[in-house]
Amino acid sequence: MKSANNIYLIGPMGSGKSAVARRLASQLGLEFHDSDEEIEVRTGVDILYIFDREGEAGFRKRESAVIAELVELDGIVLATGGGVAQDPDNRRLLAANGIVVYLYTSVAEQIRRTRKSRHRPLLNNGNPAEVLQQLMDKRDGQYREIADLLIETDGRQVASVTKQLRLEVQALQVDAAGREQAK
Ligand code: S3P
């Protein structure tokens, strides 16, 4: 049975996963984790450097290893990297161990929110708008495949997205508790 005490945020770059996860964790008294941050802490270097030295394939291996460890924890809110759902094992692990929330964000909004960012290797070469569109075409279905909840973030502040998410997660938790009691 998947734990209703773990909340995993998935979605594209610029969907606000880290900011929303941090705020939600503090409101719910859960531990905040960010898979990109964990990779950086473990390696002692940033993600740009990992992509540079090991390519995307090297980064994906590290990402899968970190996901496999983080799904063992109980009582966490996890912000994942935008590419996490590409890998079937990552999808299986996330779906099996917590409530998965897709922060849906249109490509136009992703472009606006990532415009000034320099720390995202996939956006540093080529046309960011085209890259974000291609990634969305490929990944939207993968996110939806494992999402228990989908929250739209376009034009919204972190506080508003977090509040909706908290209410929807709590409703799911009440349902899960009810099913347990009825057993
Ligand atoms: C990536 C998204 C990034 C980070 C890496 C690759 C992706 O995370 O994991 O740069 O493939 O979409 P954010 O979604 O937090 O920007």
Side-chain angles (χ1 to χ4, degrees), residues 5 7 21-32 74-77 166 170:
N5 290 327
I7 300 155
R22 194 181 286 281
R23 194 177 177 102
L24 184 69
S26 115
Q27 290 180 356
L28 296 178
L30 298 174
E31 244 178 68
F32 165 75
D74 200 34
I76 71 163
V77 182
R166 191 179 73 242
Q170 283 168 340

Side-chain angles (χ1 to χ4, degrees), residues 11-18 34-36 39 47-48 51 56 59-60 63 79-84 86 114 117 119-123 132 135 139 143:
M13 292 179 261
S15 56
K17 300 176 297 274
S18 301
D34 180 311
S35 60
D36 284 344
I39 295 168
I47 284 168
L48 274 180
F51 265 71
E56 181 170 350
F59 172 76
R60 295 298 168 204
E63 183 174 51
T80 60
V84 79
Q86 286 184 174
T114 58
S117 124
H119 65 277
R120 292 182 166 105
L122 295 177
L123 301 184
L132 287 169
L135 291 176
R139 294 172 174 173
Y143 296 138

